[in-house]
Amino acid sequence: MNIDMSLHDDITDLETEIDRLAEAAERCRKIMVVARGAMATGSVVLAALVLGLLRSDALILLTSVTAILAGIAVFGSHRSTLQELKAKIAAQEARRSGLIDAMDLHVVKEA
């Protein structure tokens, strides 16, 4: 019986870790959306400057280029982090599945 409780505790710990990793992955996705927005906004402003739709101003130009470059850097960084998190989640889920299989559970049939 002690072995089953130990397996149960291990499974519970893995599920907690999977939830923590899933929350981190969701934060990465949200940051990636913001980074895309920064890239898009910077691109639109830069295009407006080039087309003469906005008054030519060095600060606006610098800000739009900075938004594009920062968006690219943040997006790329979080994309690779997201991929790592997905791999960790898959590994933890496989470990959890193996522990559940090791529990030697029996199917209870209805009467």
Side-chain angles (χ1 to χ4, degrees):
M1 187 69 174
N2 237 354
I3 294 172
D4 286 341
M5 289 307 292
S6 175
L7 286 175
H8 182 269
D9 291 341
D10 290 344
I11 292 168
T12 301
D13 291 344
L14 284 172
E15 288 176 346
T16 301
E17 179 66 8
I18 290 167
D19 288 343
R20 187 189 68 77
L21 291 169
E23 289 172 5
E26 186 58 31
R27 281 191 304 274
C28 281
R29 285 185 195 95
K30 289 177 182 178
I31 291 171
M32 288 170 64
V33 168
V34 171
R36 282 183 182 152
M39 288 185 290
T41 302
S43 297
V44 167
V45 171
L46 185 60
L49 283 170
V50 169
L51 295 174
L53 300 174
L54 286 177
R55 177 178 53 88
S56 184
D57 184 359
L59 181 61
I60 295 173
L61 175 65
L62 182 62
T63 303
S64 64
V65 171
T66 301
I68 294 168
L69 294 176
I72 291 169
V74 170
F75 182 84
S77 171
H78 282 82
R79 183 179 61 186
S80 62
T81 301
L82 180 59
Q83 291 169 345
E84 291 172 12
L85 288 169
K86 286 180 179 181
K88 287 179 183 179
I89 290 169
Q92 298 292 40
E93 287 176 340
R95 286 183 61 210
R96 179 185 62 189
S97 181
L99 290 175
I100 291 171
D101 290 344
M103 289 182 80
D104 191 33
L105 300 173
H106 300 284
V107 177
V108 178
K109 296 181 182 178
E110 292 184 31

